[in-house]
């Protein structure tokens, strides 16, 4: 049993101390076994749970999930501290320096007249900070661990900053149609790799979304929710009529699907 005194309220320093206790002799065997790699997925899951709490508009749920993300930051920093490389204070130092450097209109003598200028300056300072000599360097630097739709969107935005972009949505839509035709040819006639063509089609769809100011992840989530509701209704309609979906023909399934859609939208 460790020497610990309960308090009516805890702070960030208490969290650091609790993690230190858990990760050292006399603490928790599971915590002591963890590495950056073993808890990598935990970090991602906690970040998504923060996003869900934001979507719910629930401040208390958000507070809880932010705490879980903070724990991940403290935990990873504790691993590095034990390795003798850096600690949580060094992590804070790094982000403080970054914020000061990238806000010269606040901490320096740069004058800006719009948020657009602020974002433009931010990107240029980021490129200098990371030694990105070209816009291609910036495209390559987009994190490969991002969800693929977000990664595609971010890469296309950075390419657009170099002027490599469609003039309007019509060009992006034409490209989407072209990629669909190529996917059909690959899937039905064996002309090319259908998986590669599917990737090209999805990338082209993300490009269209940029012109619509549509977040591709949000758009696909909305489509998933819509599919879920319509499928549930379709299945219910089939059950009401003593039918099994897997016994119906394609035409019968489509007819039920359309009926379900009409009832939901009515």
């Amino acid at each position: 049993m460790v020497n610990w005194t309960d308090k009516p309220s805890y702070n960030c320093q208490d969290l650091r101390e609790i993690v230190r206790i858990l990760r050292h002799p006399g603490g928790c065997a599971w915590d002591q076994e963890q590495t950056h790699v073993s808890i990598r997925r935990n970090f991602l899951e906690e970040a998504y749970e923060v996003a869900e709490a934001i979507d719910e508009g629930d401040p208390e749920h958000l507070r809880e999930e932010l705490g879980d993300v903070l724990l991940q930051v403290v935990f990873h920093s504790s691993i590095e501290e034990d390795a003798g490389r850096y600690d949580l204070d060094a992590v804070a130092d790094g982000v403080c320096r970054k914020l000061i450097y990238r806000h010269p209109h606040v901490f320096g003598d740069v004058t800006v007249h719009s948020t657009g200028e602020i974002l433009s300056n931010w990107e240029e300072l980021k490129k200098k900070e990371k030694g990105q000599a070209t816009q291609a360097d910036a495209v390559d630097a987009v994190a490969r661990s991002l969800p693929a739709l977000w990664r595609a969107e971010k890469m296309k935005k950075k390419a657009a900053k170099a002027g490599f972009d469609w003039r309007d949505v019509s060009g992006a839509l034409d490209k989407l149609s072209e990629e669909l035709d190529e996917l059909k040819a690959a899937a039905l006639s064996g002309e090319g790799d259908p998986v590669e063509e599917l990737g090209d089609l999805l990338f082209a769809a993300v490009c269209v979304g940029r012109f619509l100011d549509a977040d591709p992840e949000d758009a696909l989530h909305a489509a998933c929710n819509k599919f879920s509701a319509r499928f549930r209704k379709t299945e219910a309609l089939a059950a009401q009529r003593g039918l099994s979906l897997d016994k119906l023909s394609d035409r019968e399934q489509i007819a039920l699907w359309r009926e379900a859609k009409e009832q939901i939208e009515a």
Side-chain angles (χ1 to χ4, degrees):
M1 180 70 97
V2 299
N3 183 20
W4 179 259
T5 302
D6 289 335
K7 298 170 61 175
S9 179
Y10 300 101
N11 56 34
C12 289
Q13 187 54 45
D14 292 319
L15 176 59
R16 292 179 72 175
E17 179 61 12
I18 290 170
V19 170
R20 186 196 67 77
I21 290 171
L22 292 174
R23 293 198 59 256
H24 290 85
C28 174
W30 183 90
D31 289 282
Q32 293 161 22
E33 292 174 356
Q34 302 315 302
T35 66
H36 292 309
V37 175
S38 71
I39 57 173
R40 176 183 181 276
R41 178 167 174 169
N42 300 58
F43 208 142
L44 293 172
E45 289 176 353
E46 298 298 357
Y48 279 116
E49 288 176 11
V50 166
E52 184 173 349
I54 291 172
D55 293 341
E56 291 173 353
D58 185 339
E60 282 305 306
H61 186 196
L62 178 58
R63 178 181 66 83
E64 176 189 351
E65 299 303 343
L66 287 173
D68 290 342
V69 169
L70 179 59
L71 169 59
Q72 293 295 315
V73 174
V74 173
F75 203 105
H76 282 278
S77 299
S78 177
I79 292 174
E80 287 301 306
E81 184 174 5
D82 285 350
R85 288 184 284 264
Y86 55 81
D87 60 10
L88 185 62
D89 288 332
V91 173
D93 175 71
V95 73
C96 287
R97 292 178 185 277
K98 181 187 297 183
L99 287 171
I100 293 167
Y101 174 73
R102 294 189 190 175
H103 289 83
H105 57 289
V106 176
F107 300 102
D109 55 6
V110 172
T111 300
V112 295
H113 300 93
S114 67
T115 54
E117 285 186 49
I118 291 172
L119 293 175
S120 179
N121 288 345
W122 176 282
E123 287 298 323
E124 287 304 312
L125 290 167
K126 183 177 179 180
K127 285 173 63 178
K128 292 179 181 178
E129 188 180 68
K130 296 183 176 296
Q132 298 169 354
T134 67
Q135 201 61 30
D137 290 338
V139 170
D140 286 341
V142 175
R144 286 162 173 74
S145 57
L146 280 173
L149 293 176
W150 277 348
R151 184 185 176 204
E153 180 190 41
K154 198 165 185 177
M155 291 173 73
K156 196 63 183 72
K157 281 183 178 179
K158 290 186 179 296
K161 291 182 182 298
F164 190 74
D165 200 8
W166 305 109
R167 294 186 181 278
D168 54 45
V169 71
S170 63
L173 286 168
D174 288 343
K175 184 62 176 176
L176 182 62
S177 296
E178 176 188 322
E179 296 297 351
L180 178 58
D181 289 340
E182 292 181 5
L183 175 59
K184 287 179 179 178
L188 300 176
S189 307
E191 299 175 13
D193 181 352
V195 175
E196 179 182 347
E197 298 301 341
L198 176 60
D200 292 343
L201 179 68
L202 292 171
F203 192 93
V206 170
C207 292
V208 171
R210 270 200 347 102
F211 286 98
L212 304 178
D213 290 326
D215 183 313
E217 287 286 332
D218 287 347
L220 186 53
H221 276 302
C224 289
N225 293 339
K226 182 166 59 177
F227 174 84
S228 179
R230 288 181 182 174
F231 178 77
R232 180 177 294 278
K233 187 64 175 179
T234 301
E235 189 177 49
L237 288 174
Q240 288 170 11
R241 296 165 192 178
L243 303 174
S244 176
L245 287 177
D246 63 341
K247 303 299 183 183
L248 301 179
S249 67
D250 290 350
R251 179 174 295 181
E252 290 170 326
Q253 287 187 0
I254 291 172
L256 264 184
W257 177 265
R258 288 174 176 166
E259 184 179 347
K261 177 182 176 182
E262 290 172 0
Q263 290 191 19
I264 290 173
E265 294 178 351

